[in-house]
Amino acid sequence: QQQVKQSPQSLIVQKGGISIINCAYENTAFDYFPWYQQFPGKGPALLIAIRPDVSEKKEGRFTISFNKSAKQFSLHIMDSQPGDSATYFCAARGRLGGGADGLTFGKGTHLIIQP
Amino acid sequence: DTAVSQTPKYLVTQMGNDKSIKCEQNLGHDTMYWYKQDSKKFLKIMFSYNNKELIINETVPNRFSPKSPDKAHLNLHINSLELGDSAVYFCASSQPYTRANVLTFGAGSRLTVL
């Protein structure tokens, strides 16, 4: 069964600190690794994504680090702000039931940035 | 303009009732999805339609029946509602075979079964 394991389940970081969320996957056929951000009462929204042939991608304060040999990837939020408080999901794209491509999500990390 | 819109946003009903959730996307995407998010925030795919054709049907009770009248609409009908059906249901869409194949989610429909 395809799995994406995400940790920690919850995370509290002081304003200005670095938030780090980790994910690990098993299926080497996954070909795309997005991160989604979800605020309360809203749907998840794409934050940043990476392909497995790249080891790092940075967009503003958000960076994905990707380790293909270890089958791990992580999200780093630099200079974390209270507005970053949300639930973060890692995901991986691959074949789902029925043979169609789709995203498998990690279980989410509830991030709280304390002022 | 809302890209993926779902109605209703909130739904409270009794066990045994039948209810529907509607979804529309104006992004011109070919693929639409239903995801279920439980109380622990876990997102699980339920169904996927590509251009009105069912392509993904994960292990979901047959009380759940999706219907796609056209590629811009994907509705979810639930028969004989059970307490365990209480969750937030998200509709999403994407354009397959593109570099990104990014999912765009709606705001969710919170279903509470009493």
Side-chain angles (χ1 to χ4, degrees):
Chain A
Q1 183 180 357
Q2 294 183 341
Q3 278 191 328
V4 177
K5 296 182 180 178
Q6 183 172 347
S7 63
Q9 190 172 6
S10 60
L11 180 63
I12 299 175
V13 175
Q14 295 295 316
K15 179 182 175 182
I18 302 173
S19 304
I20 302 174
I21 304 170
N22 300 300
C23 283
Y25 63 97
E26 298 173 356
N27 187 346
T28 56
F30 285 142
D31 64 357
Y32 186 67
F33 299 87
W35 285 86
Y36 282 79
Q37 180 188 55
Q38 184 180 24
F39 293 108
K42 305 289 186 184
L46 179 68
L47 182 64
I48 188 173
I50 197 168
R51 298 192 173 278
D53 54 350
V54 176
S55 61
E56 184 176 282
K57 183 171 182 181
K58 183 176 181 179
E59 290 183 2
R61 296 184 293 109
F62 300 90
T63 300
I64 301 178
S65 297
F66 190 86
N67 185 331
K68 188 173 182 178
S69 61
K71 293 188 282 187
Q72 295 174 346
F73 58 111
S74 59
L75 176 69
H76 291 64
I77 306 174
M78 311 299 288
D79 187 26
S80 299
Q81 299 296 312
D84 297 330
S85 298
T87 301
Y88 292 81
F89 294 92
C90 62
R93 186 178 68 186
R95 287 295 169 94
L96 298 176
D101 280 350
L103 290 181
T104 298
F105 285 87
K107 292 194 173 184
T109 296
H110 183 52
L111 174 65
I112 297 173
I113 307 301
Q114 289 187 332
Chain B
D1 274 347
T2 303
V4 180
S5 58
Q6 300 179 225
T7 55
K9 188 169 176 63
Y10 300 97
L11 194 51
V12 180
T13 189
Q14 299 288 328
M15 278 177 57
N17 284 351
D18 303 338
K19 290 294 177 185
S20 293
I21 307 172
K22 296 185 176 182
C23 179
E24 176 181 4
Q25 55 97 1
N26 62 8
L27 297 167
H29 288 167
D30 285 339
T31 305
M32 296 185 72
Y33 308 79
W34 279 110
Y35 278 82
K36 180 181 179 180
Q37 186 172 49
D38 61 22
S39 58
K40 295 183 178 179
K41 298 287 190 181
F42 183 50
L43 273 168
K44 183 171 171 55
I45 191 168
M46 301 174 67
F47 301 103
S48 174
Y49 271 75
N50 186 62
N51 210 1
K52 302 193 299 176
E53 181 181 343
L54 179 66
I55 56 170
I56 295 175
N57 182 352
E58 294 294 293
T59 308
V60 177
N62 57 16
R63 298 181 294 103
F64 290 79
S65 52
K67 184 171 262 189
S68 181
D70 56 63
K71 75 173 191 177
H73 295 84
L74 180 61
N75 303 322
L76 183 65
H77 187 76
I78 315 170
N79 290 324
S80 304
L81 279 157
E82 300 178 356
L83 293 176
D85 297 333
S86 295
V88 181
Y89 292 85
F90 285 100
C91 178
S93 72
S94 72
Q95 188 61 21
Y97 317 120
T98 60
R99 267 189 82 78
N101 194 12
V102 170
L103 278 183
T104 302
F105 284 88
S109 297
R110 180 177 292 277
L111 171 64
T112 302
V113 182
L114 303 175

